[in-house]
Amino acid sequence: MVKSDGATLFEQPNKAAHSSLPLGAVLTAIGRSEDSAWLYVEQADGQHGWLPIAQVVGFGIEKLPVMPVEIVNSDVQTENTAKGETGDSTSAATDMAAETVVTTTANTTDLNEVMETAAVTRQMRAARRRRANGCAATLQAAVVLASGRLNIRSGPGTSYTVVGKAYPQDMLDVLAKDASQRWLQIALPDQAGEIGWVSAEYAQLDGDMDALPVSNAISHAETLTASTSVDPAPPTSNAAANTEPAAPAVSGSATGLRGTLVFQTNPGGAIYAYDLEDGRVWPLTHGFDPAISPDGSTVAFTRDGGQNGIYLISINGGSERLIFSGRSSLASPKWSPDGRWILFSRGDESWECRTLGFGTCVSGNLTGGPPGRPLPPGFSLEDLPIMRTQEFNLAVVDTNGDNYHDVAALETARTPDWNESGIVYQSSAGIQRTADKPDAENTLVSFDYLNPYYYDPDWQPNGGRILFQMRGASHWEIYSINPDGSNMTNLTRPVTALVDALPSNVAPAWSPDGQHIVYASNRGADNSAGPWRLWVMDADGGNQHPLPLDVAIDYTWGGEQIVSWGP
């Protein structure tokens, strides 16, 4: 936000000025100069430029990527192309030049900075496309994925075809919403006048959703030939559930290990059981986040959409029943150690704040949520747009769906796990511990604000080590840590860096005896990223190998807990 003396926008640091900005003007910061004396910003009308950092009040500036001048010049050049100054034939070549600059910086910049710069370049291109398409967006939204790509569909639901993809941090022009407010209609990037739909769960609006009109328009854009889903579970009705196609055939082999795995193929897709001793595989149902009970007799799972709720089903596939549907956006059911209770996360509450741009909100006399950052002196909250932020909380019901109560947790609590020593969960403030008791307090296990991606914890039986996945520059690895935050150890790591794409290791879960770990990995035979499979390793990270299981798994980076290990 511009300070009281106003600000001057420059084409390049210490070069010619091209416009002035008034007190209180709100800007989106995209990058900074190497000496952190200048910010590269975008105005509300889409225009870019540099301004001295001393002329603005900003938050999180130290986390912005350093902007090489070459990338900015490429962006300006391509912007002119989008306006028609050099003709359509040069647009693709200019975008390729911008990408080449990112690639050639790899020998002088660490990989994390290159990845961040690439994300910024995509953000710039999205802004250029908006201006080239000439779309009149009601609001804008940022893609809030840590990794992977977000599906853009032809209609508001996962049954519609995929017509495009969006990257983390991409900016989307939002035109409307569906009646359920679970899907957002956007201007389809790179296709003038065409629309698409994205899940609202993965798109952070820069404004109030109530301002959006309701639409049920369907896109006529061409369907993509391949798809990697990042969607919520498909909305279905009870009638639709009875007519779903049969689960695809799956086979496995004996492993020498003991117990039964339950796993999902994708969010909302088929759920299977796998006997590790004799290799038998059998279908159970459809849904997501399956969790097997401590005695191995029952599986808890969730569904969304028209069948929203928490369900139980026998391990042999019979006696399926809905036990709880009193709240929405339910996920990650986990059993209490005695098998009498089900813990889960819910995302059906929100709070309001005033936004200074994507990722930064401030509070004042707004009600309904935790306080944000204080507003600098001399500025009025009334000048800032209101944004509603989704909360995630933890709750418990018994196995009949009764005796609902919340658990003491932060307002960003997700992917919990429960054992004899308490409850562990991920949050925006790292891995946290709590308990299902009235006087429970949250205790930090581990967090690093420079790398805040501590996801999907799983606690070793009897209160031992805590597993979690953490993001690196371009991939994810699995770590273990003591409950007091000591002795953090990476259990997985790249075998070699001499590959086109490093594989990721995610979604870890302990065996009932705490001696082994099952997880998902897209590590291929050449140690490069490939198809997802279930893998297993020893508790110390040794003896890593894929399970002899013939099944296609689609991990979508949506925080899904795809596998559980029972007796």
Side-chain angles (χ1 to χ4, degrees), residues 274-316:
Y274 175 31
D275 190 311
L276 294 166
E277 291 186 79
D278 62 23
R280 289 183 303 117
V281 181
W282 62 98
L284 293 178
T285 185
H286 72 281
F288 59 99
D289 293 350
I292 194 167
S293 61
D295 64 3
S297 66
T298 309
V299 177
F301 63 96
T302 56
R303 290 194 185 123
D304 210 338
Q307 289 185 301
N308 172 70
I310 297 175
Y311 292 75
L312 300 182
I313 191 171
S314 169
I315 191 62
N316 63 15

Side-chain angles (χ1 to χ4, degrees), residues 138-152:
T138 300
L139 294 173
Q140 291 184 333
V143 176
V144 288
L145 291 175
S147 186
R149 292 186 293 172
L150 177 63
N151 281 340
I152 303 174

Side-chain angles (χ1 to χ4, degrees), residues 152-154 161-165 188 191 195-197 219-224:
I152 303 174
R153 295 190 177 269
S154 60
T161 58
V162 177
V163 296
K165 301 282 186 177
L188 194 63
Q191 296 194 41
I195 65 166
W197 291 85
S219 174
H220 299 291
E222 182 178 354
T223 300
L224 294 186

Side-chain angles (χ1 to χ4, degrees), residues 7-20 38 50 52 55:
T8 302
L9 208 61
F10 296 78
E11 292 184 2
Q12 292 186 35
N14 299 313
K15 300 293 184 180
H18 64 72
S19 62
S20 297
W38 293 79
W50 292 91
Q55 295 180 350

Side-chain angles (χ1 to χ4, degrees), residues 159-174:
S159 61
Y160 291 94
T161 58
V162 177
V163 296
K165 301 282 186 177
Y167 287 87
Q169 303 179 44
D170 270 358
M171 312 292 281
L172 306 174
D173 282 314
V174 182

